[in-house]
Amino acid sequence: MSEQLLFQPSAAAIARTHTTAEQYDALYQRSITDPDGFWAEQAKRLDWVRFPTKIKNTTFAYPDVSIKWFEDGVLNVAANCIDRHLAEHGDDIAIIWEPDNPNDQAEHISYRTLHEKVCRCANVLKSLGVRKGDRVTIYLPMIPQAAYAMLACARIGAVHSVVFGGFSPDSLAGRINDCDSAVVITADEGRRGGKTVPLKANVDKALEDCPGVQKVLVVHNTGADVAMKGSRDVWWHEAAAGVEPFNDPEPMNAEDPLFILYTSGSTGKPKGVLHTTGGYLTYTSLTHELSFDYKRGEVFWCTADVGWITGHSYIVYGPLANGATTVMFEGIPSWPDASRFWQVVERHKVNIFHTAPTAIRSLMGAGAEYVEKHDMPSLRLLGTVGEPINPEAWLWYYNKVGKGRCEIVDAWWQTETGGHMIAPFPGAIPTKPGSATKPFFGVIPEVLSPEGKVQEQTKAEGVLVIKDSWPSQARTIWGDHGRFVSTYFETYKGTYFTGDGCRRDEDGYYWITGRVDDVLNVSGHRLGTAEVESALVAHPKVSEAAVVGFPHDIKGQGIYCYVTLMAGEAYDDGLRGELRNWVRKEIGPIASPDFIQWAPGLPKTRSGKIMRRILRKVAENDFGSLGDTSTLADPSVVDDLIANRQNKP
Ligand code: WT7
């Protein structure tokens, strides 16, 4: 049914677009047939110390995967995001910071002020011993200092690793150690939805296991009384007051690392996805401009947290490279009530609003009255990202939030892709609710059968791979190039495997159907089932655990855990709560299990492999299609699992 729905771009969108439908077709073709010429042209959008002469040098050939873009170019990301705007746009607002509590003052930070803040932070980092190439872990709430810290690292050539403030001390410690950060930047506390988050206390706990950390730079944020450890801990405001307000940006090679961002995969520990300098900034600034049809002076708000790739690419780097005004919001959509987003849109006259399907669904569930009382005449475009959006939520967004006059941009991409890969060009590509539509310039999607056969016909279904490199692609996994190659390039050799399933319709539109691997997408956050399993089995009473996803009305996917206890342990309800808290403590609240089912036996093949397919079906309450269970070592465990299926948390 929804596939019949087709929304033509509005007359207003067509009148103002950077890229008409004809231009999209022609430029897309050129980007594929002449990538060197196309991307050399696009690279001119940045200021280079030395403009590159070598543009694309990439191969997906297994196992010699190597990705280099603009490899002899020299530039600095912070200079591109700040300094080059100063002469003509120094007084333009770079960041509007909206605090958690609506009664507190918003801050308007000009490009000139941003320059001073970033330079001071850069000098502080240098004074703490940070040098080009060193890693710095940033564990901050959504306050302007998070952007200052990222840009300060970029300015001096340090590699930042931002860790979402909702991760536990254990998760933080693992990420600090994996990339050997000697410096951590945090705050006394964060604020979110009227509550405080004990960031400094979490860092102190994490650092018990991080012998390599020499210095902790602490933002005085809520003013909470926190312990400062003598020579290790330094207050940001004190250090910043004692250094110069200017700093010469470090000339960086286009392929020098810019940042590491940890993300979950189907196996093992989270991977440190590495992004580099020239290709990343070229692509994120171009996609920010074209996917949102951004024009200077507009107010752009992406509601993500800087702890995720969306925050890196579309709160900080893409918008600031374009001299945009970007909103940074400390709070959550539901506090003090479900009209908070719309209040902020009205308060700051937001033109482009960008959020996730899970937020849209929960606000839809709260009732239309919260959005109906806000006119929001400034709005002209609405973005959605992070997971497939169901057509009902798309239509609610379009009709209730956009009042039927805003373009909807559903952008499919990943931490590893750095920027948008499939998304409608507003004013050029008609939209269909639930489809991310057409590829961005330079992106060649292919649909393969699960066995790896290329589906040549337009209408097709299978797994989504990308045939050739694009500039903002991750270059490697920090410290483990072999894992990079085996995760993304081994399954379907010669292509980049996205981990997503997809459908291409007769118009060539792409419909992402979700992950085909053991990665969950819970409220737009990626989580490996293996991570939750290893957290569970770390509990002294747990002998074995298997975790699967199930469809969840608000979160997209929920977390369903099957747990086998050690011999002699009692399967009681109290232990369920204990295990739930245990996982929250091990990973963070985003990994909180929705259901824990006691499973004295798990369905295993005779060779001992857990049959997850069956566990998924039971969690989904879909017993009719369990498939062949005759290869199980003990088929009777399935009846037991069905009989004990959990339907309340
Ligand atoms: C996974 C990547 C990069 C954005 C934030 C998430 C899913 C992302 C969409 C979309 C359908 C989407 C995919 C992808 N996803 N955007 N518009 N429609 N699915 O980044 O944490 O790296 O997760 O999110 O499954 O593989 P991420």
Side-chain angles (χ1 to χ4, degrees), residues 459-515:
K459 201 170 166 180
E461 186 155 1
V463 297
L464 179 64
V465 301
I466 311 292
K467 210 176 152 183
D468 199 359
S469 184
W470 62 98
S472 66
Q473 178 172 26
R475 303 301 195 249
T476 192
I477 290 171
W478 183 260
D480 198 348
H481 193 65
R483 190 172 175 202
F484 179 69
V485 173
S486 64
T487 304
Y488 305 108
F489 302 94
E490 192 176 70
T491 321
Y492 302 107
K493 298 208 173 48
T495 66
Y496 166 79
F497 177 42
T498 64
D500 280 315
C502 104
R503 195 153 61 75
R504 187 169 54 211
D505 71 15
E506 55 281 6
D507 301 322
Y509 277 48
Y510 290 86
W511 301 72
I512 307 298
T513 50
R515 303 287 304 198

Side-chain angles (χ1 to χ4, degrees), residues 82-92 111-112 296:
I82 309 169
D83 304 41
R84 66 171 175 154
H85 306 312
L86 294 180
E88 285 176 37
H89 296 280
D91 296 321
D92 288 5
Y111 276 92
R112 206 176 310 289
R296 204 187 270 274

Side-chain angles (χ1 to χ4, degrees), residues 378-535:
S378 60
L379 275 185
R380 68 163 184 83
L381 188 145
L382 301 170
T384 163
V385 68
E387 47 173 319
I389 182 163
N390 46 314
E392 298 70 25
W394 195 105
L395 291 169
W396 187 85
Y397 202 29
Y398 182 80
N399 290 318
K400 297 292 179 188
V401 181
K403 322 289 181 201
R405 53 170 180 74
C406 298
E407 307 302 302
I408 305 271
V409 171
D410 177 356
W412 172 83
W413 58 296
Q414 309 178 299
T415 304
E416 296 87 340
T417 72
H420 297 163
M421 298 291 280
I422 302 182
F425 276 64
I429 312 265
T431 51
K432 301 184 187 186
S435 170
T437 75
K438 299 268 190 164
F440 194 79
F441 298 148
V443 175
I444 314 173
E446 265 185 350
V447 180
L448 305 185
S449 73
E451 299 73 39
K453 197 169 157 321
V454 182
Q455 308 290 292
E456 303 281 0
Q457 69 288 8
T458 305
K459 201 170 166 180
E461 186 155 1
V463 297
L464 179 64
V465 301
I466 311 292
K467 210 176 152 183
D468 199 359
S469 184
W470 62 98
S472 66
Q473 178 172 26
R475 303 301 195 249
T476 192
I477 290 171
W478 183 260
D480 198 348
H481 193 65
R483 190 172 175 202
F484 179 69
V485 173
S486 64
T487 304
Y488 305 108
F489 302 94
E490 192 176 70
T491 321
Y492 302 107
K493 298 208 173 48
T495 66
Y496 166 79
F497 177 42
T498 64
D500 280 315
C502 104
R503 195 153 61 75
R504 187 169 54 211
D505 71 15
E506 55 281 6
D507 301 322
Y509 277 48
Y510 290 86
W511 301 72
I512 307 298
T513 50
R515 303 287 304 198
V516 295
D517 52 10
D518 290 319
V519 171
L520 306 179
N521 192 327
V522 181
S523 300
H525 301 319
R526 237 165 106 166
L527 210 55
T529 52
E531 267 172 89
V532 184
E533 287 162 6
S534 71

Side-chain angles (χ1 to χ4, degrees), residues 601 603 629 632-642:
T629 55
L632 288 176
D634 176 9
S636 73
V637 297
V638 177
D639 299 329
D640 183 68
L641 287 175
I642 293 175

